[in-house]
Amino acid sequence: MYQLFATIIAFLCIPILIRFKFKLSKTLLITALVLGMVSGIGIINLKDAFLSVITDKSSLSTILTVAMVTILSGLMKQYRILDKIVESMLIVINNKKVILMIIPAMIGMLIVPGGALLSAPFINNLGEEMGIKQSRRAAINLVFRHISMFILPYSTSLLIISGSMPQINIGQIILLNLIFVISMIIIGYFMFIRDIDFEKSIEDRKDIGKNIVNLIVHTSPIYVCVILNVLTGLPFYITLIGSIILVFLLGDKEDFFRHLIKSFNLNTVLIVIAVFIIKGIILRMDDLLQLFNTMFLGSDSVFSIMIVFFISSFFFGFITGNQTASLAILLPMVTMLNVSNETLYVYLYFSYCCAFLGYFFSPLHLCQAFTVQHMGVATKDLYKEYKYFPVYLVLVLMISFMILV
């Protein structure tokens, strides 16, 4: 229990430091240091948690990828490539409400860490033109860009399930996930999109074919890095070089290298480093992990299992700001349960969505951190904008769980 209380105390630093106008990167680094000092994991484990940021290939790759994404995002904004994409999309689709949902969902399909840095400028610029307040813009970007992680078989979280439990049919998990993701889209539309007033574009729509081509060309820096990754197997931080070269070819090339250096965002990279340090500390807190393991094994009814799944999945997702970390902790516990194959799929669906909720609403959620930073909105204002959104999602999840079981 001590480590549970220590974690809560450490995380109380976040709202306090933010209130005193600390940057989010510094806030999270201080929180990581406090957590390490009060967690009781020892100096050696604390040192390993800090060093794991550079010794763990996955963490280092993510940090380098995010650094490259900040550069790509800055260059695309500098050379107005983002504006050109929106202009073409407005002619092709001619409905700004639909575009507000499509843009983050489309970019969310690219499994690139820090992808929120690419979708946030689109939504921010379009939202400003439509008179949407900043907190609403942030909510729209975050809600709709996470759709793909439920249904793409190559999303990181689904790959973790596949790797941890080879006997599981990922297609069946995706079918169950559709219950939650369709509900999220509908709720998100009615809460954040439906009441927005806008005027339809009066652009000449006779050049739809030309604008489709323009759309393909100007979005190429976003998807080329993914294609190169699939074809070559090279990490994203290397394939993103190809995307940056495309920006160079599409832009006016004026002062390109100066803008390239200027686009690098150290604060964003430090946020990622801090999150990985915190995750490393959490994964070394054996007493905390054992506490939740005991709760699982002690559950003897469907309702009690549902509550334990919800609390543990949400908790680990929330404190790590990482759905995959939560699943990595929970999946070994799930395999210990003596249940039928059909029930196992329901438990995986429920755990997956609960971990997502914890991750989605966590102050350590990188997409949220990037979106809030880019749009200049306070985290508390974003949470106020959500209002009953998390309540609705929890109700959908629990009701669907009880029906499926």
Side-chain angles (χ1 to χ4, degrees), residues 24-283:
L24 184 58
S25 57
K26 292 182 179 178
T27 296
L28 296 182
L29 287 170
I30 293 171
T31 300
L33 184 60
V34 172
L35 179 61
M37 292 172 61
V38 302
S39 63
I41 63 173
I43 296 297
I44 294 177
N45 279 327
L46 181 59
K47 181 190 72 174
D48 289 342
F50 274 81
L51 290 177
S52 66
V53 173
I54 56 175
T55 57
D56 181 78
K57 290 184 179 179
S58 176
S59 298
L60 184 59
S61 177
T62 300
I63 292 167
L64 293 173
T65 299
V66 169
M68 294 295 289
V69 169
T70 65
I71 294 173
L72 177 62
S73 177
L75 289 173
M76 289 183 73
K77 182 177 180 180
Q78 173 64 35
Y79 293 108
R80 296 191 67 251
I81 293 175
L82 300 179
D83 297 335
K84 293 173 183 176
I85 291 174
V86 173
E87 288 170 6
S88 296
M89 195 173 285
L90 281 170
I91 294 174
V92 174
I93 299 176
N94 201 35
N95 188 317
K96 292 183 179 180
K97 284 187 178 181
V98 174
I99 292 174
L100 283 173
M101 295 186 288
I102 288 179
I103 288 176
M106 177 185 69
I107 297 177
M109 293 178 69
L110 310 182
I111 309 302
V112 181
L117 289 173
L118 294 176
S119 60
F122 285 94
I123 302 303
N124 196 38
N125 294 342
L126 189 57
E128 187 175 5
E129 291 177 10
M130 298 172 69
I132 304 172
K133 60 181 179 179
Q134 290 169 299
S135 58
R136 175 74 67 92
R137 295 177 222 166
I140 290 170
N141 185 54
L142 289 166
V143 169
F144 292 100
R145 71 161 273 99
H146 286 89
I147 293 170
S148 60
M149 67 188 303
F150 289 90
I151 56 178
L152 290 181
Y154 57 84
S155 69
T156 305
S157 298
L158 287 175
L159 287 174
I160 284 181
I161 293 179
S162 179
S164 303
M165 306 176 74
Q167 76 278 17
I168 293 298
N169 184 331
I170 291 300
Q172 193 165 335
I173 296 293
I174 291 173
L175 284 175
L176 292 173
N177 283 349
L178 282 173
I179 300 170
F180 184 81
V181 75
I182 291 173
S183 301
M184 186 172 74
I185 292 170
I186 294 171
I187 295 169
Y189 172 79
F190 279 96
M191 286 196 66
F192 308 120
I193 301 289
R194 185 169 179 259
D195 63 348
I196 296 174
D197 293 323
F198 78 102
E199 294 181 2
K200 285 194 174 183
S201 173
I202 57 174
E203 299 285 344
D204 183 4
R205 302 194 73 231
K206 293 180 180 179
D207 294 330
I208 292 179
K210 176 182 176 182
N211 281 281
I212 289 175
V213 173
N214 288 337
L215 203 54
I216 294 171
V217 170
H218 288 107
T219 55
S220 61
I222 298 173
Y223 61 76
V224 159
C225 58
V226 179
I227 295 174
L228 290 175
N229 171 263
V230 172
L231 293 178
T232 66
L234 292 171
F236 275 116
Y237 62 85
I238 293 179
T239 60
L240 278 162
I241 295 173
S243 295
I244 291 173
I245 291 173
L246 281 174
V247 174
F248 173 76
L249 296 175
L250 292 172
D252 59 20
K253 305 176 181 62
E254 184 179 350
D255 294 329
F256 181 81
F257 290 103
R258 181 171 67 85
H259 290 308
L260 184 147
I261 295 171
K262 187 179 177 181
S263 295
F264 172 70
N265 192 320
L266 177 61
N267 188 52
T268 298
V269 175
L270 288 176
I271 290 173
V272 182
I273 291 173
V275 167
F276 281 132
I277 292 173
I278 291 172
K279 184 180 74 173
I281 294 171
I282 292 292
L283 294 178

